[in-house]
Amino acid sequence: MVLRKEAVNQIKEICARYKDEPSPLMLILSDTQKEYGYIPLEVQEVISGETGIPVSEIYGVVTFYSFFSLTPKGKYVIGCCVGTACYVKGGQNVLDKFGELLKIKPGETSEDGLFTLDALRCIGACGIAPAISINGKVYPKVALSAIPGIIAEYRKKAQEE
Amino acid sequence: MAKITIYFENIPYSVEDNLTILEAARVCGYNIPSLCTYKNGECSVASCRVCLVKVEGERRLVASCAYPVRDGLKVFINDPEAVVARRTSVELILSNHNMDCQTCRKNGQCELLEVAKRVGAEPNRYPGAKTEVTLDHLAPGLVRDTSKCVLCGRCIERCKNAQGIGILGFENRGFKTIVSPVANRSFSNVPCIQCGQCTLVCPTGALMENNEIYKLDKAFKEGKYVIVQTAPAVRAALGEEFGDPVGTDATGKMVAALRRLGFYRVFDTNFAADLTITEEASEFVKRVVDKVPGPMLTSCSPGWINYIEYYYPELLPHLSSCKSPHEMMGAIIKSYYAEKNGIDKDKICVVSIMPCVAKKYEKERPANSVDGVQDVDVVLTTRELAQLIKRSGMMWKKLPEEKFDNDLLGATTGAAVIFGVTGGVMEAAVRTAYNILTKKELEPIEFTAVRGLQGIKEASVTINGLTVNLAVCSGMKNAKAILESVKNGTCKYDFVEVMGCPGGCVNGGGQPYVANIFKPNEEDDIMDTYIQKRADVLYKSDENCEVRRSHLNPDVNKLYQDYLEAYGSHKAHEILHTEYNSNREKYPSDK
C-alpha cells in the first residue's frame, strides 16, 4: 500500500504536535488512531521517520494496546466487557450475541464498515455489569433482548449522517 | 567512586558504590545466575527473574540485576526462599521452551541450559500450552526460531542501542509476546543489515547464523577443488572455542585443522586484503587528484554496505567501489589462479571462513560474481569452523602449527592482518596511499592515532604538503553520526573507514560467544576486555611480519604484472570492483 500525500502530511502534522514531548509515541499513536482510524505499517514508517523511533518499537506498542488497530476499524466500535464482574453477569453472552447478529468475531469489522466488535477486560464499570461501550458511550446492564435495538439505533444514526 | 561495605551471606565485602547487586556479586566472587542481563547492567529489563536474591529489610525477593548496592546492604543468595524462586523462574521459562536440546546447535554454549543445570530445574514442572512458533530461515545470514526465545530483550537492546537500527522488538502481549522484526517478518524482508550482533548476545539458540556446513559437504562430495580462505579476525578468536584464553593467536592450529579437513588449498584472505588496499588507496588518491568531493567511505564490511544502501542510498557515490577482501580473493582464485593452474573455474568451490554473518548474504549479491560465476560459494563463521573441527574429531591441543599455502596467492603483509580491527583498514591504506603520492614510505609505520576501540576516531596526515583528514568508526550508531554530517555538509573528513560491528571484525557477528558463565578462568571484566584482547593478537601479528606494507606484497605485485596490469586498471575493475543498489525497498509488501 502506498499512502496518499495528504495522509502522509496529516501524520507528519500529528508528529509535529508532540515534537517537544519527552516520550511522544503514545500521544502520536492515539491521535493517529483517532484521526486516521487505524495504524498500518506504512503509517508507522512515517512516524518512525519523523520521530527516529524504530518501526519495530512502534509496532510493539501498537500490538500491545488493544485501543490501537492495524486494520481499519468500523464507524462504531462496540467494546463488550468480559472482565471478571461482567463475565459473571453474562458479558460473554452479550459479546456472542453481538457477534451473531453482526456476523463477525471479536476483533473483526462488519462488511459494511459500520461496526467493529472488541472484547475488553474491565472498563471500570463493574457496578453496572454487564456493560458495553460504543464509541465511548457506556451502556449499563445490557440485556440480550436489548441488543438488536442497540444495533438498529446505530444503523439508523449512520443513515442520518 | 566511593567504596562501601556490603554483605553477602553475612560476610563483609568492600565494593564500588555504583554497582548493582549482580555486578557487585561477581566482583566479590559470586556468580548469580542471570539471563536477561548481558553485561554491567546493559540490556537489563529485569524480565527473566532468574537472579532473584533476598535482601534484608525488603518485603519481597529482588532482581539483583536491577537493584543498586548501598552501604550496609545485606544480601542472601542462598536463602532457601531465593533458591526456590530462582528455580521456579527457570522452570517457568522452560515451560514455554523448545526442549530439543540434543539437536540444538547452541548446546554447550546455551546460557539457559547452563542456568537450568545450576539451579536444578526440572524440565517438565509446568507442562501446558506453548506460544505459536515462527521459524525464519529465509535470510542468508541469520535464522530466528521463536521456540527457543526467552524474551530477555538482549538482542533488541543490541540492535537498537549499539547499532542504532532497531530491527527487533517485542510484539503482541501476554502469552503471545514474541521478539521479532516488525509484523513477524523474515530478516530478509525488513531493513536488517544482517550484522549478526544479535546472535552474539542471544542466551539461547533463538538467533543464530544460517548454517552452511551442508554446502561444504556437498562440494567435497562432488569432488570439487574446495579452496578455503580465512579472514584475519578468525585467528584471533577461534582458540576460544577450544578453551584457549581470550587473546590467543590460533593461526597455526587453524591452518593445520583446515588442511586436515581436506581443503585443496588453505589461503589467507590477507593476500586479498593487500589487494584491497592497493585498489582502495589508488582509488582514494585518484579521488584526491580529481578533487572529487569527499569523504570516500570504505567498503569492506557487508553489514555496513547494507546499512548505507537501506538508510542513506543518496550517499552511495561516496562508497569505494572495491569488493571486500574475501570477494576479491574468490574472484582472483576463479580467474588468475584457475588459469595459471589450468583448473576449470566451475570446478572450484571457494569457502570463506569469516567472523561475519553478513558475508553470507554478501556472497549472493549479483554484483559479486564474474561472468555469472559467484566469487565465493560458501561462507562459514568462526563458530561454524569450530563446529566443523569438533565434528572431525581433531584434538585442538594436539594440532601442530602450520603455515598457509604459498603458491601464487601466498604472500601477505602486516598491513592486511590488522584489517580485522577497527582502524586497521585505514592504517593499512595510509601506509600505501602515502607511498603512491610521495614514492616514499611513511615513518614511523605505526599510525597509532586510529588505534583503540572508541566509536569514532579522528586523525590527519600530511602528504606532500596536503593535509588529509581521516576518520574511523565502527558500529552503525557511529556511522550514522558521520553520514548525517556528510548529508548536511558539515563533514570535514576526506577518507572514512567504517566497520559494521562495534570494535570491528574481531567482534563480528560470527565470532565465538563470550559469556561470563562459560569463562570461569578469565578475569571478571572479560566482557569489557575481550575485543581489545582479540585486537592485540592482530597488532602483534602485524609487528611480527617482515613486510608490513600492502604495496610491497610480492605476490600482489606479481599479480598486477602478470594479470591485472596496474592499480585500478580496466581488468582490475572488472574483477575486483562491485556495484551498489540505491533502490532497496525497506519493507517490501509481498511477504
Side-chain angles (χ1 to χ4, degrees):
Chain A
M1 185 179 76
V2 180
L3 295 177
R4 283 178 298 119
K5 207 174 161 209
E6 294 84 352
V8 174
N9 288 340
Q10 185 192 14
I11 298 154
K12 285 186 175 170
E13 190 270 315
I14 291 172
C15 294
R17 282 176 211 168
Y18 302 108
K19 65 178 186 338
D20 298 325
E21 288 287 333
S23 72
L25 185 57
M26 288 295 281
L27 297 162
I28 291 170
L29 291 178
S30 182
D31 282 13
T32 307
Q33 177 71 45
K34 265 185 220 149
E35 292 179 29
Y36 197 72
Y38 68 121
I39 316 174
L41 186 57
E42 292 80 359
V43 169
Q44 295 174 33
E45 280 183 61
V46 177
I47 296 172
S48 172
E50 292 299 297
T51 59
I53 301 167
V55 182
S56 60
E57 194 170 323
I58 298 172
Y59 189 89
V61 173
V62 170
T63 54
F64 185 87
Y65 293 101
S66 60
F67 175 72
F68 301 132
S69 171
L70 290 166
T71 48
K73 287 214 173 190
K75 188 162 188 200
Y76 304 110
V77 180
I78 305 169
C80 293
C81 184
V82 283
T84 310
C86 286
Y87 186 84
V88 169
K89 288 281 192 177
Q92 185 67 46
N93 299 337
V94 172
L95 177 66
D96 292 345
K97 188 75 185 173
F98 271 109
E100 180 196 319
L101 294 175
L102 297 171
K103 298 187 181 66
I104 49 175
K105 292 190 196 108
E108 291 178 355
T109 299
S110 61
E111 248 176 49
D112 56 10
L114 275 187
F115 297 101
T116 295
L117 187 59
D118 279 339
L120 307 177
R121 306 277 169 221
C122 196
I123 56 174
C126 308
I128 51 171
I132 65 166
S133 124
I134 302 181
N135 284 14
K137 184 183 171 191
V138 176
Y139 288 72
K141 298 185 179 175
V142 179
L144 290 183
S145 57
I147 293 174
I150 295 173
I151 294 174
E153 178 194 329
Y154 280 92
R155 286 232 160 92
K156 193 169 159 221
K157 199 174 162 190
Q159 264 176 3
E160 284 165 4
E161 277 175 14
Chain B
M1 236 55 75
K3 285 271 188 182
I4 54 169
T5 301
I6 63 168
Y7 299 82
F8 283 106
E9 322 295 7
N10 280 323
I11 295 165
Y13 293 91
S14 175
V15 297
E16 308 277 345
D17 66 353
N18 61 339
L19 305 176
T20 62
I21 292 178
L22 187 79
E23 291 159 15
R26 282 193 185 133
V27 175
C28 301
Y30 298 90
N31 209 332
I32 302 173
S34 73
L35 286 175
C36 65
T37 344
Y38 179 59
K39 63 164 192 187
N40 301 349
E42 180 194 307
C43 327
S44 182
V45 288
S47 66
C48 74
R49 319 308 289 176
V50 168
C51 65
L52 294 172
V53 292
K54 188 160 186 96
V55 167
E56 193 176 82
E58 285 287 348
R59 208 157 44 84
R60 286 183 285 192
L61 300 173
V62 303
S64 57
C65 66
Y67 197 100
V69 294
R70 60 171 184 272
D71 196 39
L73 188 78
K74 288 192 166 171
V75 181
F76 300 92
I77 301 169
N78 284 305
D79 173 83
E81 203 190 332
V83 167
V84 172
R86 289 199 295 269
R87 184 166 66 220
T88 304
S89 297
V90 175
E91 285 168 343
L92 285 168
I93 292 170
L94 292 177
S95 76
N96 196 16
H97 191 79
N98 178 337
M99 304 293 259
D100 293 340
C101 296
Q102 297 91 331
T103 53
C104 181
R105 284 196 284 140
K106 197 67 179 271
N107 191 327
Q109 295 179 309
C110 174
E111 290 178 55
L112 175 61
L113 192 57
E114 181 64 22
V115 165
K117 193 166 76 186
R118 291 193 186 191
V119 301
E122 283 186 32
N124 278 312
R125 178 70 70 104
Y126 302 106
K130 297 204 172 181
T131 307
E132 201 183 327
V133 173
T134 301
L135 276 175
D136 171 18
H137 286 271
L138 293 177
L142 295 166
V143 293
R144 181 170 62 98
D145 179 352
T146 60
S147 73
K148 296 173 182 172
C149 177
V150 296
L151 304 177
C152 65
R154 287 183 186 178
C155 54
I156 298 174
E157 292 293 312
R158 179 56 64 106
C159 188
K160 186 184 168 194
N161 293 342
Q163 291 293 57
I165 300 174
I167 288 299
L168 290 160
F170 288 113
E171 246 165 60
N172 307 325
R173 181 165 49 162
F175 197 61
K176 291 182 177 163
T177 306
I178 52 168
V179 170
S180 79
V182 66
N184 205 9
R185 286 169 173 233
S186 162
F187 283 120
S188 62
N189 217 15
V190 291
C192 166
I193 68 167
Q194 301 192 35
C195 64
Q197 282 293 310
C198 53
T199 69
L200 293 183
V201 296
C202 180
T204 69
L207 290 164
M208 295 192 87
E209 72 272 52
N210 207 338
N211 190 311
E212 289 186 47
I213 289 180
Y214 74 96
K215 291 186 189 169
L216 175 66
D217 293 340
K218 189 162 169 265
F220 276 123
K221 204 175 170 189
E222 286 170 354
K224 291 202 167 165
Y225 292 92
V226 189
I227 298 177
V228 71
Q229 56 168 321
T230 69
V234 176
R235 70 205 62 182
L238 180 65
E240 294 167 27
E241 289 274 352
F242 303 95
D244 286 350
V246 177
T248 305
D249 186 345
T251 315
K253 285 180 186 293
M254 174 182 72
V255 173
L258 289 168
R259 202 160 276 139
R260 281 153 185 74
L261 284 167
F263 289 100
Y264 176 71
R265 284 288 183 279
V266 182
F267 284 132
D268 193 342
T269 308
N270 287 357
F271 170 84
D274 283 326
L275 193 55
T276 306
I277 283 301
T278 54
E279 283 297 309
E280 201 161 35
S282 64
E283 182 182 354
F284 175 64
V285 167
K286 188 166 185 300
R287 280 185 186 232
V288 171
V289 172
D290 294 352
K291 298 201 163 42
V292 177
M296 184 171 104
L297 307 167
T298 60
S299 61
C300 300
S301 169
W304 148 243
I305 302 298
N306 280 336
Y307 185 81
I308 188 170
E309 282 188 342
Y310 274 130
Y311 298 95
Y312 293 88
E314 69 276 18
L315 300 181
L316 281 172
H318 288 276
L319 203 57
S320 160
S321 62
C322 289
K323 285 179 182 172
S324 70
H326 88 113
E327 291 290 340
M328 285 198 181
M329 191 74 177
I332 287 293
I333 288 172
K334 289 192 178 180
S335 55
Y336 172 70
Y337 185 83
E339 285 169 33
K340 289 274 179 187
N341 286 286
I343 303 173
D344 179 0
K345 67 179 173 185
D346 292 325
K347 289 212 171 98
I348 296 177
C349 174
V350 175
V351 178
S352 303
I353 312 291
M354 295 286 131
C356 184
V357 299
K359 301 240 183 237
K360 287 174 179 282
Y361 153 82
E362 181 193 31
K363 73 175 188 305
E364 291 173 19
R365 289 171 70 99
N368 287 340
S369 56
V370 178
D371 303 333
V373 178
Q374 231 173 269
D375 296 335
V376 171
D377 301 279
V378 180
V379 172
L380 301 180
T381 60
T382 310
R383 301 190 292 257
E384 285 172 289
L385 173 60
Q387 192 195 338
L388 205 56
I389 294 171
K390 286 170 189 169
R391 189 183 76 173
S392 74
M394 279 179 259
M395 289 162 75
W396 182 252
K397 70 171 185 179
K398 294 204 173 173
L399 282 167
E401 306 271 331
E402 291 184 4
K403 288 192 160 39
F404 286 103
D405 286 314
N406 62 2
D407 51 332
L408 289 174
L409 315 178
T412 61
T413 74
V417 78
I418 55 175
F419 257 61
V421 56
T422 175
V425 174
M426 181 57 77
E427 185 167 346
V430 167
R431 290 180 193 173
T432 291
Y434 190 89
N435 172 273
I436 296 177
L437 281 165
T438 64
K439 307 293 170 217
K440 288 183 214 144
E441 300 298 358
L442 181 72
E443 293 295 346
I445 190 164
E446 283 90 3
F447 191 56
T448 50
V450 293
R451 295 190 179 187
L453 296 179
Q454 307 92 303
I456 297 179
K457 293 167 281 188
E458 297 179 338
S460 58
V461 59
T462 307
I463 307 177
N464 278 356
L466 182 78
T467 302
V468 181
N469 293 311
L470 311 168
V472 168
C473 69
S474 66
M476 290 301 96
K477 196 178 168 186
N478 299 311
K480 184 177 184 176
I482 289 184
L483 291 176
E484 282 296 328
S485 75
V486 177
K487 212 166 147 181
N488 62 31
T490 57
C491 179
K492 54 183 190 294
Y493 309 123
D494 302 299
F495 192 7
V496 181
E497 176 210 289
V498 188
M499 292 192 187
C501 291
C505 312
V506 284
N507 188 35
Q511 289 285 65
Y513 306 113
V514 181
N516 270 313
I517 198 167
F518 291 118
K519 299 256 177 254
N521 297 325
E522 300 282 353
E523 63 240 66
D524 306 325
D525 58 354
I526 188 66
M527 304 301 283
D528 299 323
T529 57
Y530 75 92
I531 303 177
Q532 187 61 54
K533 285 184 170 180
R534 289 175 182 172
D536 291 343
V537 171
L538 301 183
Y539 283 122
K540 190 138 201 308
S541 180
D542 169 32
E543 259 174 53
N544 292 340
C545 281
E546 265 175 50
V547 183
R548 298 175 67 187
R549 294 175 169 93
S550 297
H551 53 277
L552 300 180
N553 181 321
D555 284 350
V556 167
N557 290 338
K558 191 168 181 324
L559 171 66
Y560 277 106
Q561 265 168 27
D562 291 3
Y563 198 70
L564 295 174
E565 292 147 20
Y567 295 168
S569 69
H570 179 72
K571 189 149 193 177
H573 264 271
E574 229 167 48
I575 299 175
L576 304 178
H577 290 250
T578 187
E579 284 164 10
Y580 304 112
N581 182 357
S582 60
N583 211 8
R584 284 178 81 172
E585 205 180 343
K586 282 187 182 175
Y587 297 96
S589 56
D590 53 339
K591 282 171 211 157

